[in-house]
Amino acid sequence: MGRAFVYVILGGGVSAGYAALEFARRGGYSRGELCIISEEAVAPYERPALSKGYLLPEGAARLPGFHTCVGANDELLTPKWYKEQGIELILGTKVISADVRRKALVTAVGETISYKTLIIATGARALKLEEFGIQGSDAENICYLRNIHDADKLVNAMKSCSGGNAVVIGGGYIGMECAAALVTNKIRVTMVFPEKHCMARLFTPRIAEYYENYYTLKGVTFVKGTVLTSFEKDATGKVTAVILKDGKRLPADMVVVGIGIRANTSLFEGQLVVSMVNDGIKVNGQMQTSESSVYAVGDVAAFPIKLFDGDVRRLEHVDSARRTARHAVSAILEPAKTRHINDLPFFYSRVFTLSWQFYGDNVGEVVHFGEFTNSSPRFGAYWVNKGRITGAFLEGGSREEYEAISVAVGRKTKVTEMAELGKQGLAFAVQESQKQMSDSGLAIGERPTYVWHATAAVVAAVSIAAVGYWYGRKRRRW
């Protein structure tokens, strides 16, 4: 029993949807030659919706409203669209083994699916407490958030917990965004993490202090520098309290765990080169793995970043998932015309009435700027390494201001005086952006190609609110 395709996309996340749209637009296949294999029972969707609009108490985002590719202000790819395009969706299907030499995948029901070209879009999985020696995280009121099944469980837990206590384990993206959603659902929140401040991988202590103070005003309690060791449960197995390493006991009607992710590489270990540094499948600038017929995209791919002098990184963000997917399809269908990917790392988040964006790499000396106030925050930071800007963060900026800092980072703008940079603040990036565009011969309104990448991500953040997330509209009530 088996089927054969020319192109197989393994994984049904963000990358799969964007790859499918790129195939359809380039016309690089015939009907029945392309398929997507996914463990999930639904067509690819914009995963960021799960920690944003999906968790709102009113007017929450639901499918089909946030299928890909609305996150880039593009077509909504419903199951009907895939059928019309002749792309087969093989949903609710787990692949248990892969043989890249034979170009074959085997599913849990024993079916063999062969291919000529494979795109690995398996993404990543949420790290579980059991991996850190904590047992019992299968309780019905302990929630993770990686897929729509997780999101449904979290929504149901919140509905039964209104006015109660939630403990959030982890101070990163998922922890911060879920904490905001819990507060919006009228739940008291305590956040627990081992670091000295929230978002420790990105935020400076000064930036983190602002967001922690803001969350505190919203009713969130922070417990830092310690970790979970065990749970207390009732006779039905539900968690009633969280016990911390320092002995503190936190009452809990529900628990949300956001302690990181791990790339889904297990099917290909021993067959493809895996980056030892970040555990992703290593690819070249065309997203091609060590096996010429296999490509990897999204969270699972470790690829060279030109901005970082070719350093191989794995970028855990939706923006990278979209762009690497498109790039891989381009490389597959038109390899001679496809240059190595020129990626400008980009991250963003929106919680309560706040909205920040970050570009580049947070290495080097930090220079803060702007007003760190609760009323109308507009502040940021530059990271300067070897006399050049390598990263930039901005809270409360306009579209043009976000574009300006992206240009400053993408061009590795030279900095001569650190003190002067701090004084000029955002104006430095705006002036340099205008100067560089003028020097390049671009007219007002035009931008270099790599800036359009960042701009598309900004548009994505806004457009999702209108077509799927409803996040920006609702957040004003928080």
Side-chain angles (χ1 to χ4, degrees), residues 204-230:
T204 67
R206 186 177 180 186
I207 292 173
E209 182 183 21
Y210 174 83
Y211 291 103
E212 288 180 10
N213 288 340
Y214 192 99
Y215 270 59
T216 299
L217 290 173
K218 293 291 184 179
V220 176
T221 300
F222 289 90
V223 179
K224 300 181 281 187
T226 189
V227 294
L228 160 73
T229 58
S230 61

PDB file of all heavy atoms in Angstrom, residues 204-230:
ATOM      1  N   THR A 204      16.812  43.405  27.777  1.00  0.00           N
ATOM      2  CA  THR A 204      17.791  43.861  28.756  1.00  0.00           C
ATOM      3  C   THR A 204      17.079  44.002  30.094  1.00  0.00           C
ATOM      4  O   THR A 204      15.835  44.053  30.143  1.00  0.00           O
ATOM      5  CB  THR A 204      18.374  45.225  28.359  1.00  0.00           C
ATOM      6  OG1 THR A 204      17.334  46.204  28.438  1.00  0.00           O
ATOM      7  CG2 THR A 204      18.943  45.203  26.938  1.00  0.00           C
ATOM      8  N   PRO A 205      17.826  44.076  31.198  1.00  0.00           N
ATOM      9  CA  PRO A 205      17.156  44.268  32.497  1.00  0.00           C
ATOM     10  C   PRO A 205      16.263  45.502  32.523  1.00  0.00           C
ATOM     11  O   PRO A 205      15.185  45.470  33.118  1.00  0.00           O
ATOM     12  CB  PRO A 205      18.328  44.397  33.470  1.00  0.00           C
ATOM     13  CG  PRO A 205      19.419  43.583  32.842  1.00  0.00           C
ATOM     14  CD  PRO A 205      19.278  43.814  31.367  1.00  0.00           C
ATOM     15  N   ARG A 206      16.696  46.593  31.869  1.00  0.00           N
ATOM     16  CA  ARG A 206      15.895  47.819  31.887  1.00  0.00           C
ATOM     17  C   ARG A 206      14.601  47.653  31.102  1.00  0.00           C
ATOM     18  O   ARG A 206      13.528  48.097  31.539  1.00  0.00           O
ATOM     19  CB  ARG A 206      16.706  48.981  31.320  1.00  0.00           C
ATOM     20  CG  ARG A 206      15.968  50.321  31.445  1.00  0.00           C
ATOM     21  CD  ARG A 206      16.808  51.470  30.958  1.00  0.00           C
ATOM     22  NE  ARG A 206      16.079  52.732  31.086  1.00  0.00           N
ATOM     23  CZ  ARG A 206      16.514  53.895  30.630  1.00  0.00           C
ATOM     24  NH1 ARG A 206      17.687  53.968  30.016  1.00  0.00           N
ATOM     25  NH2 ARG A 206      15.789  54.986  30.777  1.00  0.00           N
ATOM     26  N   ILE A 207      14.687  47.017  29.948  1.00  0.00           N
ATOM     27  CA  ILE A 207      13.474  46.774  29.157  1.00  0.00           C
ATOM     28  C   ILE A 207      12.536  45.835  29.902  1.00  0.00           C
ATOM     29  O   ILE A 207      11.327  46.070  29.983  1.00  0.00           O
ATOM     30  CB  ILE A 207      13.839  46.203  27.774  1.00  0.00           C
ATOM     31  CG1 ILE A 207      14.555  47.277  26.931  1.00  0.00           C
ATOM     32  CG2 ILE A 207      12.595  45.710  27.041  1.00  0.00           C
ATOM     33  CD1 ILE A 207      15.099  46.767  25.612  1.00  0.00           C
ATOM     34  N   ALA A 208      13.096  44.770  30.473  1.00  0.00           N
ATOM     35  CA  ALA A 208      12.283  43.801  31.212  1.00  0.00           C
ATOM     36  C   ALA A 208      11.583  44.460  32.396  1.00  0.00           C
ATOM     37  O   ALA A 208      10.425  44.151  32.697  1.00  0.00           O
ATOM     38  CB  ALA A 208      13.154  42.647  31.697  1.00  0.00           C
ATOM     39  N   GLU A 209      12.283  45.370  33.054  1.00  0.00           N
ATOM     40  CA  GLU A 209      11.695  46.047  34.213  1.00  0.00           C
ATOM     41  C   GLU A 209      10.425  46.785  33.823  1.00  0.00           C
ATOM     42  O   GLU A 209       9.435  46.764  34.569  1.00  0.00           O
ATOM     43  CB  GLU A 209      12.697  47.025  34.813  1.00  0.00           C
ATOM     44  CG  GLU A 209      12.172  47.743  36.049  1.00  0.00           C
ATOM     45  CD  GLU A 209      13.167  48.757  36.591  1.00  0.00           C
ATOM     46  OE1 GLU A 209      14.058  49.204  35.829  1.00  0.00           O
ATOM     47  OE2 GLU A 209      13.058  49.115  37.777  1.00  0.00           O
ATOM     48  N   TYR A 210      10.434  47.428  32.662  1.00  0.00           N
ATOM     49  CA  TYR A 210       9.241  48.153  32.234  1.00  0.00           C
ATOM     50  C   TYR A 210       8.059  47.194  32.083  1.00  0.00           C
ATOM     51  O   TYR A 210       6.971  47.444  32.608  1.00  0.00           O
ATOM     52  CB  TYR A 210       9.473  48.890  30.914  1.00  0.00           C
ATOM     53  CG  TYR A 210       8.188  49.516  30.419  1.00  0.00           C
ATOM     54  CD1 TYR A 210       7.781  50.747  30.911  1.00  0.00           C
ATOM     55  CD2 TYR A 210       7.337  48.828  29.562  1.00  0.00           C
ATOM     56  CE1 TYR A 210       6.569  51.300  30.535  1.00  0.00           C
ATOM     57  CE2 TYR A 210       6.123  49.372  29.183  1.00  0.00           C
ATOM     58  CZ  TYR A 210       5.740  50.604  29.665  1.00  0.00           C
ATOM     59  OH  TYR A 210       4.534  51.126  29.308  1.00  0.00           O
ATOM     60  N   TYR A 211       8.270  46.074  31.342  1.00  0.00           N
ATOM     61  CA  TYR A 211       7.154  45.155  31.095  1.00  0.00           C
ATOM     62  C   TYR A 211       6.699  44.457  32.369  1.00  0.00           C
ATOM     63  O   TYR A 211       5.498  44.237  32.568  1.00  0.00           O
ATOM     64  CB  TYR A 211       7.552  44.137  30.018  1.00  0.00           C
ATOM     65  CG  TYR A 211       7.694  44.776  28.660  1.00  0.00           C
ATOM     66  CD1 TYR A 211       8.949  45.047  28.125  1.00  0.00           C
ATOM     67  CD2 TYR A 211       6.574  45.160  27.925  1.00  0.00           C
ATOM     68  CE1 TYR A 211       9.090  45.658  26.890  1.00  0.00           C
ATOM     69  CE2 TYR A 211       6.701  45.776  26.684  1.00  0.00           C
ATOM     70  CZ  TYR A 211       7.959  46.024  26.180  1.00  0.00           C
ATOM     71  OH  TYR A 211       8.092  46.649  24.958  1.00  0.00           O
ATOM     72  N   GLU A 212       7.625  44.140  33.251  1.00  0.00           N
ATOM     73  CA  GLU A 212       7.233  43.510  34.508  1.00  0.00           C
ATOM     74  C   GLU A 212       6.397  44.468  35.356  1.00  0.00           C
ATOM     75  O   GLU A 212       5.406  44.062  35.976  1.00  0.00           O
ATOM     76  CB  GLU A 212       8.469  43.042  35.268  1.00  0.00           C
ATOM     77  CG  GLU A 212       9.140  41.825  34.628  1.00  0.00           C
ATOM     78  CD  GLU A 212      10.363  41.360  35.396  1.00  0.00           C
ATOM     79  OE1 GLU A 212      10.584  41.858  36.521  1.00  0.00           O
ATOM     80  OE2 GLU A 212      11.109  40.509  34.869  1.00  0.00           O
ATOM     81  N   ASN A 213       6.787  45.742  35.378  1.00  0.00           N
ATOM     82  CA  ASN A 213       5.993  46.733  36.116  1.00  0.00           C
ATOM     83  C   ASN A 213       4.603  46.884  35.509  1.00  0.00           C
ATOM     84  O   ASN A 213       3.603  47.004  36.224  1.00  0.00           O
ATOM     85  CB  ASN A 213       6.708  48.085  36.119  1.00  0.00           C
ATOM     86  CG  ASN A 213       7.931  48.103  37.021  1.00  0.00           C
ATOM     87  OD1 ASN A 213       8.063  47.259  37.915  1.00  0.00           O
ATOM     88  ND2 ASN A 213       8.837  49.035  36.796  1.00  0.00           N
ATOM     89  N   TYR A 214       4.543  46.879  34.184  1.00  0.00           N
ATOM     90  CA  TYR A 214       3.253  47.006  33.498  1.00  0.00           C
ATOM     91  C   TYR A 214       2.362  45.814  33.834  1.00  0.00           C
ATOM     92  O   TYR A 214       1.178  45.973  34.155  1.00  0.00           O
ATOM     93  CB  TYR A 214       3.489  47.092  31.994  1.00  0.00           C
ATOM     94  CG  TYR A 214       2.269  47.499  31.205  1.00  0.00           C
ATOM     95  CD1 TYR A 214       2.083  48.819  30.790  1.00  0.00           C
ATOM     96  CD2 TYR A 214       1.292  46.559  30.865  1.00  0.00           C
ATOM     97  CE1 TYR A 214       0.959  49.195  30.068  1.00  0.00           C
ATOM     98  CE2 TYR A 214       0.168  46.924  30.142  1.00  0.00           C
ATOM     99  CZ  TYR A 214       0.008  48.241  29.742  1.00  0.00           C
ATOM    100  OH  TYR A 214      -1.107  48.606  29.032  1.00  0.00           O
ATOM    101  N   TYR A 215       2.930  44.610  33.759  1.00  0.00           N
ATOM    102  CA  TYR A 215       2.159  43.408  34.084  1.00  0.00           C
ATOM    103  C   TYR A 215       1.709  43.422  35.538  1.00  0.00           C
ATOM    104  O   TYR A 215       0.599  42.990  35.869  1.00  0.00           O
ATOM    105  CB  TYR A 215       3.007  42.160  33.813  1.00  0.00           C
ATOM    106  CG  TYR A 215       2.885  41.604  32.415  1.00  0.00           C
ATOM    107  CD1 TYR A 215       3.215  42.372  31.300  1.00  0.00           C
ATOM    108  CD2 TYR A 215       2.450  40.303  32.195  1.00  0.00           C
ATOM    109  CE1 TYR A 215       3.125  41.869  30.026  1.00  0.00           C
ATOM    110  CE2 TYR A 215       2.334  39.786  30.919  1.00  0.00           C
ATOM    111  CZ  TYR A 215       2.671  40.571  29.842  1.00  0.00           C
ATOM    112  OH  TYR A 215       2.564  40.059  28.570  1.00  0.00           O
ATOM    113  N   THR A 216       2.567  43.907  36.420  1.00  0.00           N
ATOM    114  CA  THR A 216       2.216  43.976  37.836  1.00  0.00           C
ATOM    115  C   THR A 216       0.999  44.866  38.052  1.00  0.00           C
ATOM    116  O   THR A 216       0.096  44.534  38.834  1.00  0.00           O
ATOM    117  CB  THR A 216       3.408  44.490  38.661  1.00  0.00           C
ATOM    118  OG1 THR A 216       4.518  43.586  38.510  1.00  0.00           O
ATOM    119  CG2 THR A 216       3.043  44.588  40.136  1.00  0.00           C
ATOM    120  N   LEU A 217       0.942  45.978  37.344  1.00  0.00           N
ATOM    121  CA  LEU A 217      -0.219  46.863  37.436  1.00  0.00           C
ATOM    122  C   LEU A 217      -1.490  46.178  36.929  1.00  0.00           C
ATOM    123  O   LEU A 217      -2.599  46.532  37.344  1.00  0.00           O
ATOM    124  CB  LEU A 217       0.031  48.146  36.638  1.00  0.00           C
ATOM    125  CG  LEU A 217       1.084  49.099  37.219  1.00  0.00           C
ATOM    126  CD1 LEU A 217       1.350  50.247  36.248  1.00  0.00           C
ATOM    127  CD2 LEU A 217       0.638  49.635  38.575  1.00  0.00           C
ATOM    128  N   LYS A 218      -1.327  45.209  36.047  1.00  0.00           N
ATOM    129  CA  LYS A 218      -2.463  44.448  35.536  1.00  0.00           C
ATOM    130  C   LYS A 218      -2.867  43.304  36.471  1.00  0.00           C
ATOM    131  O   LYS A 218      -3.836  42.596  36.207  1.00  0.00           O
ATOM    132  CB  LYS A 218      -2.141  43.877  34.152  1.00  0.00           C
ATOM    133  CG  LYS A 218      -1.973  44.930  33.061  1.00  0.00           C
ATOM    134  CD  LYS A 218      -3.292  45.596  32.733  1.00  0.00           C
ATOM    135  CE  LYS A 218      -3.162  46.573  31.574  1.00  0.00           C
ATOM    136  NZ  LYS A 218      -4.453  47.220  31.235  1.00  0.00           N
ATOM    137  N   GLY A 219      -2.072  43.106  37.526  1.00  0.00           N
ATOM    138  CA  GLY A 219      -2.422  42.077  38.498  1.00  0.00           C
ATOM    139  C   GLY A 219      -1.568  40.833  38.454  1.00  0.00           C
ATOM    140  O   GLY A 219      -1.828  39.874  39.191  1.00  0.00           O
ATOM    141  N   VAL A 220      -0.536  40.812  37.622  1.00  0.00           N
ATOM    142  CA  VAL A 220       0.348  39.647  37.526  1.00  0.00           C
ATOM    143  C   VAL A 220       1.417  39.721  38.604  1.00  0.00           C
ATOM    144  O   VAL A 220       2.014  40.773  38.840  1.00  0.00           O
ATOM    145  CB  VAL A 220       1.015  39.575  36.135  1.00  0.00           C
ATOM    146  CG1 VAL A 220       2.002  38.417  36.069  1.00  0.00           C
ATOM    147  CG2 VAL A 220      -0.045  39.452  35.054  1.00  0.00           C
ATOM    148  N   THR A 221       1.664  38.581  39.262  1.00  0.00           N
ATOM    149  CA  THR A 221       2.718  38.474  40.265  1.00  0.00           C
ATOM    150  C   THR A 221       3.892  37.705  39.677  1.00  0.00           C
ATOM    151  O   THR A 221       3.700  36.660  39.042  1.00  0.00           O
ATOM    152  CB  THR A 221       2.209  37.744  41.521  1.00  0.00           C
ATOM    153  OG1 THR A 221       1.120  38.479  42.085  1.00  0.00           O
ATOM    154  CG2 THR A 221       3.306  37.594  42.557  1.00  0.00           C
ATOM    155  N   PHE A 222       5.100  38.218  39.877  1.00  0.00           N
ATOM    156  CA  PHE A 222       6.294  37.550  39.367  1.00  0.00           C
ATOM    157  C   PHE A 222       7.044  36.877  40.504  1.00  0.00           C
ATOM    158  O   PHE A 222       7.296  37.487  41.547  1.00  0.00           O
ATOM    159  CB  PHE A 222       7.225  38.555  38.680  1.00  0.00           C
ATOM    160  CG  PHE A 222       6.709  39.062  37.365  1.00  0.00           C
ATOM    161  CD1 PHE A 222       5.911  40.197  37.306  1.00  0.00           C
ATOM    162  CD2 PHE A 222       7.005  38.395  36.186  1.00  0.00           C
ATOM    163  CE1 PHE A 222       5.425  40.671  36.094  1.00  0.00           C
ATOM    164  CE2 PHE A 222       6.521  38.851  34.973  1.00  0.00           C
ATOM    165  CZ  PHE A 222       5.730  39.985  34.925  1.00  0.00           C
ATOM    166  N   VAL A 223       7.401  35.611  40.276  1.00  0.00           N
ATOM    167  CA  VAL A 223       8.260  34.870  41.201  1.00  0.00           C
ATOM    168  C   VAL A 223       9.466  34.434  40.388  1.00  0.00           C
ATOM    169  O   VAL A 223       9.384  33.516  39.562  1.00  0.00           O
ATOM    170  CB  VAL A 223       7.533  33.651  41.807  1.00  0.00           C
ATOM    171  CG1 VAL A 223       8.473  32.895  42.745  1.00  0.00           C
ATOM    172  CG2 VAL A 223       6.272  34.082  42.548  1.00  0.00           C
ATOM    173  N   LYS A 224      10.605  35.097  40.635  1.00  0.00           N
ATOM    174  CA  LYS A 224      11.792  34.899  39.801  1.00  0.00           C
ATOM    175  C   LYS A 224      12.888  34.152  40.554  1.00  0.00           C
ATOM    176  O   LYS A 224      12.912  34.095  41.777  1.00  0.00           O
ATOM    177  CB  LYS A 224      12.302  36.258  39.320  1.00  0.00           C
ATOM    178  CG  LYS A 224      11.282  37.035  38.493  1.00  0.00           C
ATOM    179  CD  LYS A 224      11.806  38.370  38.010  1.00  0.00           C
ATOM    180  CE  LYS A 224      11.771  39.414  39.092  1.00  0.00           C
ATOM    181  NZ  LYS A 224      12.122  40.770  38.585  1.00  0.00           N
ATOM    182  N   GLY A 225      13.785  33.562  39.787  1.00  0.00           N
ATOM    183  CA  GLY A 225      14.941  32.899  40.381  1.00  0.00           C
ATOM    184  C   GLY A 225      14.660  31.565  41.019  1.00  0.00           C
ATOM    185  O   GLY A 225      15.455  31.072  41.833  1.00  0.00           O
ATOM    186  N   THR A 226      13.569  30.931  40.670  1.00  0.00           N
ATOM    187  CA  THR A 226      13.254  29.609  41.203  1.00  0.00           C
ATOM    188  C   THR A 226      12.484  28.810  40.164  1.00  0.00           C
ATOM    189  O   THR A 226      12.106  29.335  39.115  1.00  0.00           O
ATOM    190  CB  THR A 226      12.440  29.710  42.508  1.00  0.00           C
ATOM    191  OG1 THR A 226      12.331  28.416  43.107  1.00  0.00           O
ATOM    192  CG2 THR A 226      11.045  30.269  42.242  1.00  0.00           C
ATOM    193  N   VAL A 227      12.278  27.525  40.453  1.00  0.00           N
ATOM    194  CA  VAL A 227      11.611  26.641  39.487  1.00  0.00           C
ATOM    195  C   VAL A 227      10.586  25.755  40.193  1.00  0.00           C
ATOM    196  O   VAL A 227      10.604  25.589  41.416  1.00  0.00           O
ATOM    197  CB  VAL A 227      12.631  25.731  38.753  1.00  0.00           C
ATOM    198  CG1 VAL A 227      13.560  26.551  37.885  1.00  0.00           C
ATOM    199  CG2 VAL A 227      13.423  24.884  39.743  1.00  0.00           C
ATOM    200  N   LEU A 228       9.723  25.202  39.395  1.00  0.00           N
ATOM    201  CA  LEU A 228       8.734  24.232  39.860  1.00  0.00           C
ATOM    202  C   LEU A 228       9.423  22.912  40.214  1.00  0.00           C
ATOM    203  O   LEU A 228      10.336  22.471  39.514  1.00  0.00           O
ATOM    204  CB  LEU A 228       7.723  24.001  38.736  1.00  0.00           C
ATOM    205  CG  LEU A 228       6.872  22.743  38.746  1.00  0.00           C
ATOM    206  CD1 LEU A 228       5.813  22.831  39.833  1.00  0.00           C
ATOM    207  CD2 LEU A 228       6.214  22.547  37.394  1.00  0.00           C
ATOM    208  N   THR A 229       8.987  22.286  41.314  1.00  0.00           N
ATOM    209  CA  THR A 229       9.522  20.961  41.663  1.00  0.00           C
ATOM    210  C   THR A 229       8.448  19.884  41.691  1.00  0.00           C
ATOM    211  O   THR A 229       8.718  18.722  41.406  1.00  0.00           O
ATOM    212  CB  THR A 229      10.223  20.990  43.036  1.00  0.00           C
ATOM    213  OG1 THR A 229       9.291  21.442  44.036  1.00  0.00           O
ATOM    214  CG2 THR A 229      11.439  21.892  42.996  1.00  0.00           C
ATOM    215  N   SER A 230       7.195  20.269  42.019  1.00  0.00           N
ATOM    216  CA  SER A 230       6.136  19.255  42.094  1.00  0.00           C
ATOM    217  C   SER A 230       4.767  19.922  42.135  1.00  0.00           C
ATOM    218  O   SER A 230       4.658  21.146  42.207  1.00  0.00           O
ATOM    219  CB  SER A 230       6.314  18.368  43.336  1.00  0.00           C
ATOM    220  OG  SER A 230       6.230  19.141  44.512  1.00  0.00           O
TER     221      SER A 230
END
